[in-house]
Amino acid sequence: MTEDLTRSPLADYHISHGATLGEYHGAVVPARFTNPAQEHQAVRTASGLFDFSFRAKFVLTGRDSAKFLHRIVSNDVKSLAPGQGVYATLLNAQGQILADLRIYAAHDRLLVDTDADLRTKAMSILRRYIIGDQVQIEPVDTCALAFEGPQAAGLLEKTLHVDLPPLKEFDHFATNFGGFPVRVVRVNNTGEEGYELWVGPKGMMGVWGAACGQAPSYGMLPCGTEALESLRIEAGIPRYGSELGEDTLPLEANLMNALSFTKGCYIGQEIVERARSRGHVNWKLAGVVIESPQVPVPGEKLIVDGKEVGEITSACASPTLQKTIALAYVRREHLDPGTRFQTSSGAAVEITSLPFLRRQSAPAAN
């Protein structure tokens, strides 16, 4: 139920400027432009620009669209005013995550953003629940660029020649650039202040070029997905296919910002509420510091007294912390910060709280 591989509209341009392309969540996008560690540090200290063609959108229209989506997904959709958004999960009846979604309310529609390799799956699941509802669900050909870092807001304002209004996480507004309609979305992808700029494929080149023209003033580097991975691991941000999947409950992945406990029934709600009222889940996403320069592979086990108590999902050599770090699911009995164990390859490991890196300016991610 995955889509054909999407190729960034800027792929050939990126190659001509020295980028190395790679596959990421169903799309061919830049993996790196120069040195991923330098790209990472640019985002932490100044700003970075990402080609987010691995994100895909679809739209819900019709008079029942908000009421329909509200009763299916895990967060409150009906209360969204135009210009607001929310993070949510699409669950099965067992409360496990089929897809994670960012949902944005516009005046006459709901815009849904997810990974490119999840769009067809999510649309198909939602369509199965349409029974007499006045709802249409269709894909839209909209791409995104992400502006990330302490100077991201200034870079975006200079690129678009607009003054950004005060925006909370997932707030958004429509404007235009070079004759093309665009949408600005406040969203955190790295643990830093972040914005996505949605634009059609034909408008991407103009926005990218304008932003790169401002690079010296804002310390900006074009960045690839290798830097994005180390940034989001430092920030403790889970991703579908790594930390999230059809065997994961939202509470196991710490997705409190994807859940409403007051909205009433939705698919999987009974299981989520049962886990919350019980006060714990058996496994939970945690941060671990590995006392070895060797970065462990996803799936490597965590061992205490010869017993498996956890499994690594994502890992990197942290450019900011100068340590090897990882996200891992760990048994609840071993979640206290400072708890020590080993990887299956023998490296010493210590539990730490998430995120690894805290930024006052960055809101909760996803």
Side-chain angles (χ1 to χ4, degrees):
M1 296 183 65
T2 58
E3 301 194 22
D4 294 335
L5 206 60
T6 300
R7 183 176 171 87
S8 166
L10 300 182
D12 291 338
Y13 174 83
H14 292 322
I15 291 172
S16 72
H17 284 71
T20 300
L21 303 188
E23 181 181 344
Y24 191 73
H25 291 279
V28 177
V29 292
R32 60 170 70 188
F33 286 86
T34 52
N35 182 315
Q38 292 176 355
E39 296 170 14
H40 177 115
Q41 293 292 55
V43 172
R44 288 283 180 246
T45 60
S47 62
L49 179 66
F50 295 82
D51 182 339
F52 263 35
S53 295
F54 60 88
R55 299 292 290 183
K57 284 87 176 148
F58 60 94
V59 62
L60 282 75
T61 55
R63 68 183 186 190
D64 297 330
S65 56
K67 180 176 68 174
F68 165 78
L69 197 57
H70 183 83
R71 76 168 190 258
I72 304 299
V73 302
S74 63
N75 217 336
D76 187 342
V77 176
K78 282 201 302 186
S79 67
L80 293 177
Q84 295 180 330
V86 71
Y87 180 57
T89 53
L90 179 60
L91 307 177
N92 61 21
Q94 292 73 43
Q96 296 158 321
I97 303 172
L98 301 176
D100 66 326
L101 312 170
R102 297 167 179 171
I103 301 165
Y104 302 96
H107 288 285
D108 59 349
R109 63 195 57 209
L110 291 172
L111 305 165
V112 183
D113 175 54
T114 190
D115 287 328
D117 54 4
L118 290 176
R119 180 171 65 175
T120 294
K121 176 184 179 181
M123 291 173 59
S124 176
I125 292 169
L126 290 173
R127 284 171 174 157
R128 293 205 300 264
Y129 290 114
I130 298 176
I131 304 174
D133 304 282
Q134 295 296 310
V135 179
Q136 295 78 46
I137 303 174
E138 298 296 337
V140 290
D141 192 14
T142 301
C143 303
L145 304 176
F147 295 69
E148 296 282 334
Q151 297 190 46
L155 174 63
L156 181 58
E157 288 181 326
K158 196 71 172 179
T159 299
L160 295 182
H161 304 291
V162 300
D163 293 325
L164 291 176
L167 298 171
K168 300 187 299 292
E169 185 79 340
F170 304 119
D171 282 356
H172 56 100
F173 67 92
T175 182
N176 66 81
F177 177 84
F180 294 99
V182 300
R183 184 172 298 274
V184 175
V185 182
R186 174 74 187 267
V187 59
N188 167 24
N189 293 291
T190 64
E192 301 292 342
E193 183 173 355
Y195 302 85
E196 290 181 12
L197 182 67
W198 296 8
V199 62
K202 292 182 179 179
M204 279 189 77
M205 185 67 257
V207 177
W208 184 275
C212 288
Q214 301 298 327
S217 299
Y218 295 93
M220 187 272 277
L221 288 181
C223 301
T225 57
E226 291 180 18
L228 181 62
E229 277 291 291
S230 57
L231 288 159
R232 68 104 186 163
I233 293 170
E234 285 184 351
I237 299 174
R239 286 203 63 85
Y240 203 90
S242 298
E243 289 73 41
L244 310 179
E246 296 187 13
D247 58 352
T248 313
L249 302 175
L251 293 177
E252 292 175 334
N254 304 315
L255 298 187
M256 297 300 292
N257 61 330
L259 303 174
S260 169
F261 294 102
T262 60
K263 61 171 280 187
C265 295
Y266 57 89
I267 307 300
Q269 181 261 347
E270 182 179 347
I271 305 300
V272 172
E273 180 57 37
R274 187 184 306 163
R276 182 179 78 119
S277 61
R278 191 172 59 189
H280 65 81
V281 287
N282 291 329
W283 298 85
K284 204 157 190 180
L285 189 65
V288 296
V289 176
I290 298 108
E291 296 176 7
S292 168
Q294 185 68 38
V295 177
V297 298
E300 186 160 356
K301 308 300 182 185
L302 303 177
I303 310 294
V304 170
D305 297 329
K307 296 181 180 179
E308 293 181 5
V309 298
E311 182 176 310
I312 288 171
T313 55
S314 300
C316 70
S318 165
T320 307
L321 304 175
Q322 295 295 298
K323 298 177 181 178
T324 304
I325 61 173
L327 301 177
Y329 279 101
V330 179
R331 287 283 307 181
R332 62 186 179 91
E333 301 90 347
H334 302 276
L335 284 169
D336 290 339
T339 300
R340 296 179 64 84
F341 31 79
Q342 287 187 322
T343 65
S344 51
S345 60
V349 172
E350 183 174 314
I351 288 278
T352 188
S353 57
L354 289 175
F356 292 97
L357 192 69
R358 297 181 184 275
R359 287 285 192 261
Q360 291 183 349
S361 63
N366 301 115

